[in-house]
């Protein structure tokens, strides 16, 4: 099975649809200030100051990828995924007028939601390949771009968003197992170790704990 090329040869091709969960941890106290670029009053400026430890939620990703078997036992995949990073902390929300005088201060629990779009590229090597079962090694890298950084002040029902500058790189290595129910459809599990480079990214579980264990579970469709 595969996609026919003009040469008459077949290019083994498969698509994967997956979800990824990685390890999490609680952060240590560290005072941080987040600026709000947009306010209901344009001349005002606001900030959020963290005054307690951060509790990080479990990161979660969903995505799809295309895998091509290049030569015997070797393959490459490229895909796209969406990731949500969450955290919660106690902080102070402050507003200032155009002269820099503080006009409001609210202490509250604050939720942070960070949204990322990533492009992962992975290389595969088949260690054991049977009719229905495949055991393989995988290594690769991912480029992620933050598309939204949102803070919700719970007691005041205030929400503000920030842009996330730059990009974040990550590398991963792991082992995987694939079980094909028939020749065209199956499931796979890829446990892996991941390292996220900090870059110029807002505080998150990825910057607090850059070395993480990940588990990718998905289904694979072969053409």
């Amino acid at each position: 099975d595969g996609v026919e090329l003009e040469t008459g040869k077949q290019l083994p091709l498969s698509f994967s649809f997956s979800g990824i969960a990685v390890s999490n941890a609680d952060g240590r106290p560290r005072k941080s200030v987040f600026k709000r670029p947009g306010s209901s009053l344009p001349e005002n400026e606001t900030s959020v100051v963290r005054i307690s430890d951060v509790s990080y939620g479990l990161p979660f990703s969903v995505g799809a990828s295309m895998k091509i078997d290049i030569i015997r036992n070797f393959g490459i995949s490229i895909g796209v995924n969406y990731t949500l990073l969450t955290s919660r902390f106690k902080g102070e929300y402050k507003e200032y007028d155009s002269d820099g005088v503080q006009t409001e201060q609210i202490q509250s629990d604050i939720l942070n939601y960070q949204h990322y779009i990533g492009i992962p590229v992975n290389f595969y090597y088949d260690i054991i390949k049977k009719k229905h079962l495949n055991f393989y090694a995988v290594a690769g890298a991912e480029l992620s771009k933050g598309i939204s950084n949102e803070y919700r002040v719970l007691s005041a029902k205030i929400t503000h968003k920030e842009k996330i500058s730059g990009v974040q790189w990550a590398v991963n290595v792991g082992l995987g197992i694939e079980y094909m129910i028939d020749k065209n459809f199956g499931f796979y599990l890829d446990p892996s170790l991941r390292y996220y480079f900090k870059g110029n990214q807002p505080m998150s579980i990825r910057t607090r704990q850059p070395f993480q264990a990940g588990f990718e579970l998905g289904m694979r469709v072969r053409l």
Side-chain angles (χ1 to χ4, degrees), residues 18 21 33 67 72 97 130 150 166 171 196 201:
S18 62
V33 177
K67 179 175 177 285
R72 181 178 177 84
D97 62 20
K130 302 292 185 179
E150 180 181 294
V171 292
Y196 293 90
Q201 300 303 292

Side-chain angles (χ1 to χ4, degrees), residues 153-166:
V153 184
L154 298 182
S155 64
K157 296 183 178 180
I158 295 172
T159 300
H160 69 266
K161 296 182 179 180
E162 299 178 351
K163 291 183 178 180
I164 301 178
S165 62

Side-chain angles (χ1 to χ4, degrees), residues 8-142:
K9 296 182 179 180
Q10 287 190 315
L11 182 65
L13 182 67
S14 62
F15 291 90
S16 302
F17 306 91
S18 62
I20 305 170
V22 300
S23 60
N24 71 325
D26 288 337
R28 294 176 295 185
R30 186 185 299 172
K31 196 169 184 179
S32 302
V33 177
F34 308 95
K35 295 294 185 179
R36 178 189 178 191
S39 172
S40 57
L41 300 175
E43 70 276 11
N44 285 10
E45 187 171 329
T46 65
S47 66
V48 172
V49 179
R50 181 164 59 89
I51 58 177
S52 75
D53 291 4
V54 176
S55 176
Y56 294 102
L58 187 69
F60 181 72
S61 298
V62 292
S65 63
M66 179 181 69
K67 179 175 177 285
I68 301 174
D69 295 330
I70 304 174
I71 58 176
R72 181 178 177 84
N73 295 336
F74 282 94
I76 184 173
S77 74
I78 185 169
V80 60
N81 60 44
Y82 160 79
T83 300
L84 173 64
L85 305 176
T86 62
S87 64
R88 182 177 183 135
F89 58 92
K90 187 174 292 293
E92 290 181 343
Y93 170 83
K94 300 179 181 181
E95 285 191 359
Y96 304 87
D97 62 20
S98 56
D99 296 323
V101 178
Q102 182 176 311
T103 58
E104 186 171 7
Q105 179 174 329
I106 301 171
Q107 188 170 118
S108 171
D109 284 341
I110 297 173
L111 296 178
N112 179 221
Y113 298 90
Q114 296 180 23
H115 306 266
Y116 279 83
I117 296 295
I119 301 177
V121 177
N122 287 299
F123 296 90
Y124 296 84
Y125 175 72
D126 296 328
I127 301 173
I128 301 175
K129 192 169 186 178
K130 302 292 185 179
K131 182 177 179 180
H132 293 285
L133 194 65
N134 185 18
F135 181 65
Y136 53 87
V138 57
E142 180 177 343

